[in-house]
Amino acid sequence: ETVLTQSPGTLSLSPGERATLFCRASQSVRGGYLAWYQQKHGQPPRLLIYNAASRGADVPDRFSGGGSGTEFTLTINRLEPDDFAVYYCQQYGALPWTFGRGTKVEIK
Amino acid sequence: EVQLVESGGDLVQPGGSLRLSCAASGFNFRTSWMSWVRQIPGKGLEWVARIKEDGSEKYYLDSVEGRFIISKDNVKNSLYLYMNSLRVEDTALYYCARGGSWFLDWGQGTLVSVS
């Protein structure tokens, strides 16, 4: 199975700053089939990015995804208070689909 | 508006069975792949199973293969997960999700506790 390692585990930033989150795969993710989700406490995950770089419906353009192969990034420009949450990456290039363990973006 | 409403979670003993349901509305359920994803409270996410639009293809996480069955009723707009031979490690919040690869929409989840 493809293991996804997210880093850092926690990112402490201030509103207005840029966040860069990393997701490394144990093997190349076929087709760049990688998604990113945001999860707030007590809520289900929300799709942000699919196919590594395509934004989901109603996702602000402050969120952008990139990467290929085994290295992927999620960038959040100009952090807003509502962006402080946990972010997960997920690959769907090879069964079983797998998720990373998450990066928590917290207010500094 | 897309709505996914799960039900059926409960406290069950090891070896027991449960049926989870997910009522879907606000999108074309008949033409949608659907999935179940679980989350141990306070922990990460784990994909469990997915089913093709017409139910003709089903895929499972290895650890649930042979114990869980995913099914879809396109008349009732409902997704199901039949869970047998439950284990302590199956304890989690189970989400119904729209999509078979990435997950566009999620329900609020239903809690399964095996103890």
Side-chain angles (χ1 to χ4, degrees):
Chain A
E1 95 177 24
T2 303
V3 176
L4 299 179
T5 302
Q6 292 189 240
S7 61
T10 301
L11 199 50
S12 298
L13 295 167
S14 300
E17 291 191 300
R18 172 186 294 172
T20 302
L21 287 65
F22 300 92
C23 178
R24 173 175 290 174
S26 61
Q27 56 190 295
S28 183
V29 178
R30 180 180 66 90
Y33 292 146
L34 189 115
W36 290 92
Y37 301 88
Q38 176 194 67
Q39 187 175 34
K40 299 177 185 177
H41 183 69
Q43 296 184 21
R46 170 198 177 197
L47 175 70
L48 297 175
I49 301 288
Y50 63 97
N51 292 347
S54 297
R55 265 187 300 276
D58 300 325
V59 176
D61 59 9
R62 299 183 294 102
F63 292 87
S64 61
S68 62
T70 61
E71 304 285 341
F72 297 87
T73 58
L74 174 70
T75 301
I76 312 170
N77 288 311
R78 305 179 305 280
L79 277 166
E80 296 189 357
D82 194 48
D83 299 336
F84 291 93
V86 180
Y87 293 83
Y88 294 97
C89 59
Q90 176 233 336
Q91 67 80 27
Y92 46 95
L95 284 168
W97 303 163
T98 51
F99 291 84
R101 301 189 73 165
T103 289
K104 180 180 181 180
V105 178
E106 65 176 24
I107 299 178
K108 187 173 181 180
Chain B
E1 178 193 4
V2 172
Q3 285 204 330
L4 297 167
V5 181
E6 303 94 335
S7 61
D10 204 350
L11 172 63
V12 62
Q13 292 184 340
S17 299
L18 279 176
R19 185 190 82 161
L20 305 185
S21 300
C22 171
S25 61
F27 64 99
N28 193 335
F29 185 79
R30 182 180 300 273
T31 61
S32 297
W33 279 78
M34 296 294 295
S35 299
W36 289 97
V37 179
R38 65 187 180 186
Q39 184 170 35
I40 299 170
K43 302 289 186 180
L45 297 156
E46 184 172 59
W47 168 78
V48 174
R50 66 176 187 148
I51 185 168
K52 195 175 179 181
E53 300 98 328
D54 61 358
S56 61
E57 295 180 28
K58 304 176 184 182
Y59 302 87
Y60 299 93
L61 182 66
D62 280 355
S63 63
V64 308
E65 179 96 53
R67 301 188 298 122
F68 291 9
I69 297 173
I70 187 171
S71 70
K72 189 174 189 274
D73 186 330
N74 287 339
V75 174
K76 294 183 177 179
N77 280 4
S78 292
L79 179 72
Y80 304 100
L81 187 67
Y82 298 85
M83 311 167 71
N84 299 305
S85 303
L86 281 160
R87 304 170 180 169
V88 171
E89 55 265 35
D90 294 320
T91 293
L93 184 65
Y94 283 72
Y95 292 107
C96 164
R98 177 163 74 116
S101 299
W102 68 89
F103 308 117
L104 294 86
D105 301 285
W106 300 63
Q108 291 295 317
T110 187
L111 186 61
V112 172
S113 294
V114 186
S115 176

